[in-house]
Amino acid sequence: MAANSRTLEITVISAENLKLDRKPIKKNSSVTVRTDTNCQFRTTDMDTDGGSYPRWNEKLVLDLPEHSRYLTVEVQCKTSYAVRTVGTATIPASDFVGGYVPEGYLHFLSYRLRDHRGERNGIINISVRMKVPEMYACSSSTTSSHSRMGFPGAENNNFGGGVATGVPVWYGAYQKKHY
């Protein structure tokens, strides 16, 4: 993994209601996941018997550059003539990076696929987890009676240098009402 990228584990689970030329597909579908820079992509194996409701349940590992803003998920179908695109979904990186959840959190996501005309064409179901570097991973030592979650704090002996974890709290819930 490069210093300016994050490693993602993307599990392509399944798709629903896939059509090609407004007819349900019969078989031979696969999924390609790309970064917005198009320099990296991974493709699942072909589902040969799922029809318009294929299942892959396949894990793909991809490096997402720090400056990437989205992933593209493209479902294809192999016909007797060529490999054709069934539908595409653009997934914002903000859906699984940042926010109030830990970096190793497993996100289950479903997105509407659009065909080349921009019309609705099925749904793709995936899960995404950002792999956490070992130095940030949660402690799972059996010698420790406390489990840790968060990021290492500053190495300052005056304050212990432990782990800092933030929890969002709605301030209005703790205000006293004055009558």
Side-chain angles (χ1 to χ4, degrees), residues 72-91:
T72 302
V73 177
E74 187 175 271
V75 179
Q76 297 121 0
C77 179
K78 182 179 176 188
T79 65
S80 56
Y81 304 108
V83 175
R84 296 190 44 201
T85 300
V86 175
T88 304
T90 301
I91 302 171

Side-chain angles (χ1 to χ4, degrees), residues 34-91:
R34 305 177 192 280
T35 62
D36 60 351
T37 57
N38 283 331
C39 62
Q40 273 209 22
F41 67 93
R42 298 286 182 271
T43 303
T44 65
D45 292 332
M46 197 161 295
D47 177 76
T48 55
D49 52 44
S52 61
Y53 290 84
R55 293 190 171 280
W56 297 277
N57 205 26
E58 190 171 334
K59 186 181 291 187
L60 307 174
V61 177
L62 193 67
D63 283 338
L64 182 70
E66 290 255 345
H67 63 275
S68 289
R69 297 186 318 199
Y70 60 88
L71 292 176
T72 302
V73 177
E74 187 175 271
V75 179
Q76 297 121 0
C77 179
K78 182 179 176 188
T79 65
S80 56
Y81 304 108
V83 175
R84 296 190 44 201
T85 300
V86 175
T88 304
T90 301
I91 302 171

Side-chain angles (χ1 to χ4, degrees), residues 4-179:
N4 57 352
S5 67
R6 301 163 284 207
T7 301
L8 296 178
E9 288 180 350
I10 303 160
T11 302
V12 181
I13 301 168
S14 64
E16 306 169 22
N17 200 25
L18 299 180
K19 297 178 181 177
L20 196 56
D21 297 327
R22 296 188 174 104
K23 297 175 190 165
I25 64 170
K26 303 258 190 263
K27 58 182 177 176
N28 298 337
S29 58
S30 64
V31 176
T32 300
V33 180
R34 305 177 192 280
T35 62
D36 60 351
T37 57
N38 283 331
C39 62
Q40 273 209 22
F41 67 93
R42 298 286 182 271
T43 303
T44 65
D45 292 332
M46 197 161 295
D47 177 76
T48 55
D49 52 44
S52 61
Y53 290 84
R55 293 190 171 280
W56 297 277
N57 205 26
E58 190 171 334
K59 186 181 291 187
L60 307 174
V61 177
L62 193 67
D63 283 338
L64 182 70
E66 290 255 345
H67 63 275
S68 289
R69 297 186 318 199
Y70 60 88
L71 292 176
T72 302
V73 177
E74 187 175 271
V75 179
Q76 297 121 0
C77 179
K78 182 179 176 188
T79 65
S80 56
Y81 304 108
V83 175
R84 296 190 44 201
T85 300
V86 175
T88 304
T90 301
I91 302 171
S94 61
D95 284 4
F96 52 85
V97 174
Y100 295 113
V101 295
E103 277 195 345
Y105 187 79
L106 181 62
H107 300 267
F108 286 93
L109 307 166
S110 296
Y111 290 91
R112 170 72 65 190
L113 295 167
R114 300 281 178 173
D115 64 13
H116 67 279
R117 293 182 299 266
E119 295 179 9
R120 295 177 176 186
N121 194 16
I123 295 172
I124 186 79
N125 302 303
I126 64 171
S127 70
V128 179
R129 178 192 318 252
M130 187 172 16
K131 289 181 82 173
V132 180
E134 284 299 315
M135 60 190 235
Y136 295 122
C138 295
S139 172
S140 60
S141 172
T142 56
T143 60
S144 173
S145 62
H146 302 291
S147 64
R148 297 182 198 181
M149 183 177 84
F151 298 96
E155 293 298 325
N156 184 341
N157 291 332
N158 295 337
F159 297 105
V163 175
T165 302
V167 178
V169 177
W170 182 54
Y171 181 71
Y174 298 103
Q175 290 182 344
K176 291 183 179 180
K177 294 194 181 218
H178 300 286
Y179 295 98

